[in-house]
């Protein structure tokens, strides 16, 4: 199969461990990229619809991070439209701690350390109103932190395997999706403090899951190299299954523009694939060799490949 060359890419001087693209109104196009000992905060400006020229990358700030970063999330309180600017990031480090960085991108800069996990943290996610932060990892737990009250632990619930993904939905603010490595995906209610729905992937290990922001009933997971998609209105079995990565999958992300379009990375060769649920063949296939994250920015899919952040233009219709 012919490989798809990226439409744009950004070079860094160090290998990328993970990155995050803002999905919030007041910080659109903000990008945070974690290298071995620092986080680069910048803005990506994409070209107009039909143009390939006009792509820009502007570094706004470098933040020291003393350990390898495994997951990043940008707070919904981040705003580039106010003065002074306000950027708030949660970074999960290899020392099992979460660091909350707050900066005005000028002189003012603060960091707070959150201690609570006893092993690697695989995912962090901010509640849409910015009131809670959720984190999950290899210690079989998911922790909710109260951002309004000195980031105290509000609750901790335990999973039956390592927590791989955690995500809030912008339209379903009380519910939290937590996906465990043994294939169990739980919908947790913050109000009732309990799991209200569980679905299970037919294969394991589950390495990644995502909740469509376009369609709140749609959840996708990558388990055993297969893509499974559920409709939460009839969650007993997946509505769609596709074998994508022969030697196992690593990460999946649903397009914010179309719930039928997913991007995934898996083996062999750490290959990126972008595929529509109704298509047999991927729209994009690209070998990455080294893996440093996956995300969507408008009609582009972004993947980190060694020291490059690459973007591919995707037909999202």
């Amino acid at each position: 199969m012919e490989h798809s060359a990226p439409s744009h890419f950004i070079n860094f001087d160090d290998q990328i461990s993970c990155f995050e693209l803002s999905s919030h109104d007041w910080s659109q196009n903000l990008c945070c990229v974690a290298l071995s000992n620092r986080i680069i905060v910048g803005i990506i400006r994409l070209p107009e619809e039909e143009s390939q020229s006009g792509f820009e990358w502007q570094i706004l700030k470098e933040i020291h991070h003393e350990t390898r970063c495994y997951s990043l999330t940008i707070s919904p309180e981040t705003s580039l439209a106010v003065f002074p600017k306000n950027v708030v990031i949660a970074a999960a480090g290899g020392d099992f701690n979460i660091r909350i960085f707050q900066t005005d991108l000028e002189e003012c800069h603060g960091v707070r350390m959150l201690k609570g996990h006893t092993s690697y943290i695989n995912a962090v996610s901010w509640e849409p109103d910015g009131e809670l932060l959720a984190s999950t990892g290899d210690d079989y737990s998911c922790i909710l932190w109260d951002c309004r009250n000195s980031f105290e632990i509000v609750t901790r619930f335990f999973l039956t395997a390592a927590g791989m993904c955690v995500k809030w939905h912008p339209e379903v603010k009380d519910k939290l999706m937590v996906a465990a490595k043994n294939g169990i995906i739980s919908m947790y209610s913050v109000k009732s403090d309990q799991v209200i729905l569980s679905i299970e992937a037919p294969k394991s290990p589950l390495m990644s899951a995502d909740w469509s922001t376009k369609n709140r009933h749609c959840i996708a997971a990558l388990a055993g190299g297969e893509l499974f998609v559920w409709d939460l209105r009839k969650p007993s079995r997946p509505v769609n299954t596709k074998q994508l990565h022969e030697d196992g999958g690593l990460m999946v992300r649903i397009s914010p523009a179309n719930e039928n379009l997913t991007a995934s990375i898996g083996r062999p060769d750490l290959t990126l694939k972008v595929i529509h649920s109704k298509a047999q063949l991927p729209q994009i296939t690209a070998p990455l060799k080294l893996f440093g994250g996956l995300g969507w920015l408008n009609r582009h899919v972004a993947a980190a490949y060694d020291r490059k952040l690459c973007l591919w233009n995707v037909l999202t219709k």
Side-chain angles (χ1 to χ4, degrees):
M1 184 177 289
E2 190 176 340
H3 293 148
S4 315
S7 315
H8 316 283
F9 59 86
I10 304 162
N11 286 311
F12 293 89
D13 62 2
D14 197 357
Q15 189 178 329
I16 299 167
S17 61
C18 65
F19 71 91
E20 178 76 354
L21 299 161
S22 175
S23 59
H24 309 300
D25 290 343
W26 303 112
S27 55
Q28 283 186 348
N29 294 354
L30 189 72
C31 176
C32 296
V33 180
L35 307 179
S36 59
N37 62 356
R38 64 199 192 279
I39 296 168
I40 311 291
V41 181
I43 287 280
I44 293 174
R45 292 184 179 88
L46 295 167
E48 295 299 319
E49 195 76 40
E50 299 302 323
S51 172
Q52 285 301 310
S53 61
F55 178 83
E56 287 181 40
W57 162 248
Q58 179 189 358
I59 294 176
L60 303 176
K61 184 83 173 174
E62 288 196 14
I63 298 170
H64 177 69
H65 190 278
E66 59 204 57
T67 178
R68 179 181 167 88
C69 184
Y70 283 83
S71 181
L72 284 168
T73 182
I74 299 168
S75 167
E77 294 197 334
T78 292
S79 177
L80 303 179
V82 296
F83 184 81
K85 293 179 173 63
N86 183 41
V87 175
V88 184
I89 306 161
D95 55 1
F96 314 156
N97 298 318
I98 298 169
R99 289 165 178 81
I100 307 295
F101 296 103
Q102 182 163 14
T103 175
D104 63 1
L105 301 177
E106 298 293 339
E107 298 304 314
C108 188
H109 175 76
V111 59
R112 176 188 288 271
M113 189 96 76
L114 310 188
K115 297 176 181 283
H117 284 282
T118 56
S119 189
Y120 290 104
I121 303 161
N122 295 319
V124 282
S125 178
W126 236 293
E127 188 257 348
D129 291 335
E131 294 184 3
L132 294 170
L133 177 72
S135 58
T136 192
D138 287 356
D139 58 4
Y140 289 34
S141 78
C142 180
I143 298 177
L144 301 188
W145 312 81
D146 187 347
C147 308
R148 300 280 188 265
N149 192 18
S150 301
F151 289 94
E152 289 182 5
I153 294 176
V154 180
T155 190
R156 181 200 302 261
F157 59 95
F158 290 93
L159 312 171
T160 51
M164 302 305 290
C165 293
V166 62
K167 185 167 182 176
W168 304 88
H169 196 284
E171 294 174 8
V172 195
K173 294 177 183 177
D174 171 51
K175 310 291 189 303
L176 178 69
M177 181 200 78
V178 187
K181 198 168 188 176
N182 60 359
I184 295 174
I185 302 170
S186 303
M187 304 303 292
Y188 179 84
S189 167
V190 176
K191 273 185 197 156
S192 63
D193 196 23
Q194 61 185 8
V195 173
I196 53 171
L197 175 69
S198 285
I199 52 182
E200 188 170 357
K203 285 192 171 182
S204 65
L206 183 152
M207 298 305 290
S208 181
D210 197 18
W211 193 357
S212 168
T213 54
K214 185 80 173 172
N215 175 1
R216 61 192 175 92
H217 301 297
C218 174
I219 280 181
L222 203 54
E226 279 192 56
L227 174 70
F228 299 99
V229 180
W230 289 267
D231 182 335
L232 293 179
R233 291 166 295 191
K234 39 186 179 184
S236 57
R237 61 181 61 185
V239 293
N240 192 13
T241 301
K242 265 188 171 51
Q243 178 69 47
L244 288 182
H245 303 281
E246 293 169 20
D247 297 336
L250 285 175
M251 192 172 247
V252 64
R253 291 290 181 264
I254 303 170
S255 165
N258 186 342
E259 72 270 24
N260 294 309
L261 200 60
T262 57
S264 63
I265 293 175
R267 296 184 173 90
D269 291 335
L270 292 179
T271 303
L272 165 71
K273 291 186 179 181
V274 177
I275 194 164
H276 193 282
S277 63
K278 294 180 174 61
Q280 292 300 313
L281 295 174
Q283 185 187 138
I284 288 172
T285 302
L288 301 175
K289 304 296 183 190
L290 286 165
F291 170 69
L294 178 66
W296 288 89
L297 186 62
N298 301 331
R299 64 186 185 280
H300 288 77
V301 66
Y305 168 17
D306 194 12
R307 300 181 177 206
K308 283 183 180 168
L309 184 63
C310 303
L311 292 99
W312 288 260
N313 200 347
V314 179
L315 297 171
T316 56
K317 300 266 168 56

